[in-house]
Amino acid sequence: MYAYIEERVLSLAEYIVEHEATVRAAARAFGISKSTVHQDMQTRLAALNPQLAKQVRFVLDKNKEERHIRGGMATYRKYKGTEKRIES
């Protein structure tokens, strides 16, 4: 594996653990695709640092369990101020 890829994988993993970031947030922060984040975290990180891979897996699983709540809150915020009253 190239040195720059190893560096990116470890930096990305540390970022996810520190910020409890989602895959989308991590991809946005590093300027890479979500697919690259998944590939880095699921295959490459396990070969480089298994202990860190377990921590990342824990954060990503937690985010996956909470995503339906985030979606509901996003919809709530989207429509919160747009409700119009019907005047009689």
Side-chain angles (χ1 to χ4, degrees), residues 54-67:
K54 288 180 184 178
Q55 292 175 342
V56 169
R57 174 64 20 219
F58 178 78
V59 171
L60 294 180
D61 286 345
K62 185 179 98 167
N63 287 337
K64 189 175 182 180
E65 290 173 4
E66 295 174 349
R67 69 181 171 192

Side-chain angles (χ1 to χ4, degrees), residues 4-65:
Y4 76 93
I5 294 176
E6 288 181 11
E7 184 179 329
R8 180 188 70 212
V9 169
L10 294 174
S11 298
L12 191 56
E14 290 172 6
Y15 179 84
I16 289 173
V17 171
E18 271 183 38
H19 296 94
E20 296 187 1
T22 62
V23 171
R24 285 178 186 243
R28 195 176 312 117
F30 282 78
I32 56 178
S33 71
K34 294 185 302 178
S35 300
T36 302
V37 173
H38 279 291
Q39 179 72 22
D40 286 352
M41 295 303 101
Q42 291 189 2
T43 57
R44 295 182 179 130
L45 182 60
L48 291 174
N49 188 337
Q51 182 62 30
L52 187 56
K54 288 180 184 178
Q55 292 175 342
V56 169
R57 174 64 20 219
F58 178 78
V59 171
L60 294 180
D61 286 345
K62 185 179 98 167
N63 287 337
K64 189 175 182 180
E65 290 173 4

